[in-house]
Amino acid sequence: MPKYTLKEAAGMLKTDLFDLVKIANEKKLKPFYQQRNVSGDDFVYFSEEAIRKYQICHQPLKSFRRYLAGCDEEELEEVIETMIKNGKFKRLLLPEFKRLGILERLLESEDYEELCRQFQGHDEWYKKITDRFAVHEPLAAAKFSLENEDLLLLNKALANLKEPLVLIQLYQKSTESKSELGRYIGSLIAEQIDENIEELREEASKLGIRTGKLGRNKSCNPSGTGLTSQYREALNVVKSLRKGIEDYFGIKLPKEVRLSEPEGGYASIRYNRRNDYGTTASTSSSFGA
Amino acid sequence: MELQQVLRQVLEHKIEQRQEIKQQLALYIPEDFAEYIDIETDEDIGLLKKSLPFLCLHEFSHPLYSRGRIVIPEPSCRELYHNGIETGIDKAAMLLGPLLGRYTHEEMLLSHYAMMERVFRDHFDLKKYSDNESSPTFIARLYAEIKEHREQTINSVLKSKLEQLLKIADSNISSHSFSDVVKEYSQIYHQTMFVQ
């Protein structure tokens, strides 16, 4: 059986000796063999299996991802097997997972208990599952141990991923993977232009969840509300139309196109009531002739 | 049961927060815009977006009219005056979109429809205004315009939507003189024009 010295193992795991010793002391990486030579120095050897297990089950996510990126499909299959064997299946990341179509295979098998066991706390995968929530209710029921009435509520919240706050609460109860949860919630938030981002961020923050960057949705404005961005868009329409009219007719419209004499003319007919299009009461005095 | 309570609390909390957001938004919206936009429901945002070109051009037409750039025929009597002039202002808005090269005529028809959809919802579905508040001439004005637009559109979907609005109005109107008022407003609509 191949064995590796401390230095060799550190090279394989792309870590320094100090960290490796620390890891070894934490018993995440068990020495395969240890002996002391005549001069009193320790010689530590690790088995290939132990190193691989550490890589797959304990290595920090970032370097683990790098490791996975270098794996071919056969190696990935091996990684998955190791994960399953060690109950660390949830560490497998979505890109790799997609490459192998594992989720599809598992969902097709409809082995909900196994799915729940394997996916417990893995938010990115869970998102994939909730996408199919309507047809996989037993999965959610098993995951959250929910009764029918709760399921209806949850279904409402999750069916279109419209209620991230509910998700946050539920995840708080059911997951330990905070950073992944944060990314997940962040991606949900980014998808929801019409939701208030700050509100969700704050809520997430109160629960100790970091939502991180919002990712792909660049249109979410920094003020945190998609709704506000719609207002800005609308304001631009107003400004642009005003300019168009001024240019076309060669006139300057009043800075505030608003009625200066509310008692005058037909505007008084509109007194204290909605405007003609029901937009708001205050319009009763706006833009009068 | 405990989870259920948590879910309910979260949902209630979210509703409260949405109200707060609306209030904050009201402060955030620039003043010249906030005056004539109001969020009543989230659904209104979509309608608002669609109807904005018509709404804005309608409001901008008022100062153009007061400066003599728009000719609107005088309504025949005081009772018909306000909505008669507004009919002309509506027509001016419909003309302005293509005139400025900003919107096609069909886009203006769609924009006007979006506004009417909201007005009809508030008037007839939600019954937000009592009969006393709801002016018959206001409805007659809308009726006249919708009828015109139904004839003008080349979009069959829009045509049937406009027909639907007319049916709603028909089933809610009882006044004998209604058709005469509609007729007068139709004439005003036809005869309104810009002058150089």
Side-chain angles (χ1 to χ4, degrees):
Chain A
M1 185 187 287
K3 59 180 184 180
Y4 300 90
T5 63
L6 199 64
K7 196 175 174 186
E8 286 168 331
M12 284 178 76
L13 295 172
K14 293 187 175 56
T15 181
D16 60 32
L17 285 175
F18 178 79
D19 283 344
L20 194 61
V21 170
K22 199 176 155 197
I23 291 163
N25 285 338
E26 286 170 357
K27 297 189 174 30
K28 285 179 181 170
L29 179 62
K30 277 187 182 171
F32 164 65
Y33 181 75
Q34 190 168 352
Q35 71 176 40
R36 184 164 290 183
N37 69 5
V38 286
S39 58
D41 295 328
D42 278 342
F43 282 86
V44 182
Y45 296 96
F46 299 94
S47 70
E48 190 179 17
E49 194 191 349
I51 292 172
R52 180 62 53 87
K53 186 182 165 186
Y54 171 76
Q55 260 173 335
I56 294 168
C57 302
H58 301 293
Q59 190 166 235
L61 218 54
K62 205 172 171 183
S63 43
F64 176 54
R65 191 159 208 173
R66 267 202 305 272
Y67 163 70
L68 283 176
C71 290
D72 60 27
E73 290 206 358
E74 198 180 326
E75 286 166 328
L76 271 178
E77 289 277 12
E78 193 192 324
V79 167
I80 291 162
E81 273 177 30
T82 309
M83 285 175 150
I84 293 172
K85 199 172 152 190
N86 291 283
K88 297 288 181 180
F89 198 62
K90 66 182 181 180
R91 298 195 89 220
L92 192 57
L93 304 170
L94 203 57
E96 290 75 28
F97 160 71
K98 270 185 186 164
R99 271 169 68 185
L100 293 172
I102 297 295
L103 178 60
E104 279 68 20
R105 272 158 40 191
L106 286 170
L107 283 174
E108 276 165 23
S109 76
E110 297 197 349
D111 184 352
Y112 300 122
E113 280 184 21
E114 177 62 10
L115 269 173
C116 287
R117 196 176 69 77
Q118 301 290 7
F119 287 85
Q120 187 75 33
H122 195 298
D123 307 295
E124 282 184 314
W125 287 19
Y126 184 70
K127 180 182 183 306
K128 295 286 283 182
I129 297 167
T130 52
D131 284 346
R132 303 185 181 204
F133 184 69
V135 288
H136 290 288
E137 279 199 359
L139 173 66
K143 184 173 171 71
F144 295 114
S145 307
L146 298 176
E147 299 299 325
N148 279 344
E149 203 176 341
D150 292 327
L151 260 180
L152 284 175
L153 254 180
L154 184 63
N155 200 6
K156 191 180 166 192
L158 291 188
N160 296 307
L161 302 172
K162 293 284 185 198
E163 295 288 350
L165 283 179
V166 179
L167 280 177
I168 290 170
Q169 293 279 355
L170 289 169
Y171 272 104
Q172 183 68 6
K173 283 171 171 280
S174 63
T175 184
E176 293 170 0
S177 178
K178 292 285 194 296
S179 61
E180 283 184 43
L181 170 62
R183 278 197 295 277
Y184 171 53
I185 301 288
S187 70
L188 279 185
I189 293 168
E191 282 171 9
Q192 297 193 38
I193 288 179
D194 286 344
E195 293 295 336
N196 185 296
I197 292 155
E198 286 307 318
E199 168 200 9
L200 295 170
R201 268 187 173 157
E202 274 172 30
E203 195 64 28
S205 165
K206 278 182 211 161
L207 295 167
I209 299 160
R210 292 184 63 192
T211 51
K213 289 184 179 175
L214 289 176
R216 61 185 176 78
N217 192 351
K218 303 268 190 315
S219 68
C220 290
N221 67 55
S223 72
T225 65
L227 208 59
T228 311
S229 74
Q230 291 203 35
Y231 275 90
R232 281 187 173 159
E233 198 183 314
L235 179 65
N236 287 336
V237 172
V238 177
K239 282 181 175 167
S240 149
L241 286 175
R242 172 195 284 268
K243 189 174 182 317
I245 288 170
E246 289 180 340
D247 291 347
Y248 186 88
F249 290 95
I251 58 168
K252 194 82 185 156
L253 290 170
K255 195 179 174 189
E256 287 188 20
V257 188
R258 206 179 296 173
L259 191 66
S260 56
E261 39 182 359
E263 300 305 319
Y266 57 82
S268 57
I269 297 171
R270 299 200 253 168
Y271 171 72
N272 202 22
R273 193 159 82 77
R274 74 194 184 285
N275 82 336
D276 287 339
Y277 293 106
T279 45
T280 174
S282 61
T283 335
S284 62
S285 65
S286 70
F287 297 98
Chain B
M1 283 305 287
E2 191 192 337
L3 179 60
Q4 201 178 328
Q5 278 174 349
V6 171
L7 285 168
R8 287 216 172 90
Q9 279 169 5
V10 172
L11 288 173
E12 281 166 12
H13 180 55
K14 193 167 171 61
I15 290 166
E16 279 172 21
Q17 282 184 322
R18 277 189 175 161
Q19 292 301 322
E20 280 175 27
I21 294 164
K22 282 184 184 179
Q23 285 167 5
Q24 284 167 7
L25 270 177
L27 296 173
Y28 190 85
I29 304 163
E31 198 181 339
D32 59 338
F33 189 53
E35 284 300 317
Y36 55 93
I37 297 298
D38 179 34
I39 313 170
E40 289 171 2
T41 67
D42 289 347
E43 289 75 39
D44 279 356
I45 297 294
L47 275 178
L48 172 66
K49 196 174 175 184
K50 288 181 200 165
S51 59
L52 195 63
F54 175 77
L55 175 65
C56 289
L57 291 171
H58 169 96
E59 302 297 0
F60 284 133
S61 293
H62 275 292
L64 289 176
Y65 173 61
S66 66
R67 292 180 187 207
R69 308 305 287 264
I70 302 168
V71 175
I72 301 173
E74 283 273 305
S76 62
C77 64
R78 186 172 168 78
E79 284 70 37
L80 303 184
Y81 191 88
H82 167 63
N83 277 302
I85 298 297
E86 290 293 336
T87 304
I89 295 294
D90 284 346
K91 170 71 178 293
M94 300 301 291
L95 294 173
L96 262 180
L99 202 64
L100 299 174
R102 295 296 308 272
Y103 302 102
T104 63
H105 183 56
E106 203 62 31
E107 282 170 339
M108 289 307 298
L109 292 175
L110 285 166
S111 183
H112 179 265
Y113 170 76
M115 185 61 89
M116 289 307 108
E117 193 183 323
R118 177 181 172 146
V119 173
F120 270 59
R121 180 200 66 186
D122 291 352
H123 270 263
F124 300 120
D125 292 345
L126 303 181
K127 303 215 180 290
K128 280 171 83 169
Y129 309 107
S130 69
D131 287 342
N132 291 338
E133 277 181 313
S134 180
S135 158
T137 55
F138 176 53
I139 303 298
R141 166 181 150 208
L142 305 188
Y143 196 92
E145 289 176 30
I146 290 167
K147 232 172 133 184
E148 291 295 327
H149 293 174
R150 183 191 58 179
E151 299 310 312
Q152 289 169 14
T153 183
I154 53 170
N155 179 337
S156 58
V157 178
L158 177 60
K159 195 184 274 286
S160 69
K161 282 181 175 175
L162 290 168
E163 273 166 9
Q164 194 60 33
L165 292 187
L166 291 176
K167 277 183 195 165
I168 294 169
D170 281 332
S171 62
N172 284 280
I173 291 157
S174 55
S175 166
H176 293 299
S177 60
F178 183 75
S179 61
D180 291 340
V181 182
V182 170
K183 212 171 176 181
E184 173 156 356
Y185 287 164
S186 288
Q187 279 175 357
I188 292 174
Y189 189 90
H190 273 289
Q191 291 165 15
T192 295
M193 62 182 80
F194 278 96
V195 288
Q196 289 302 312

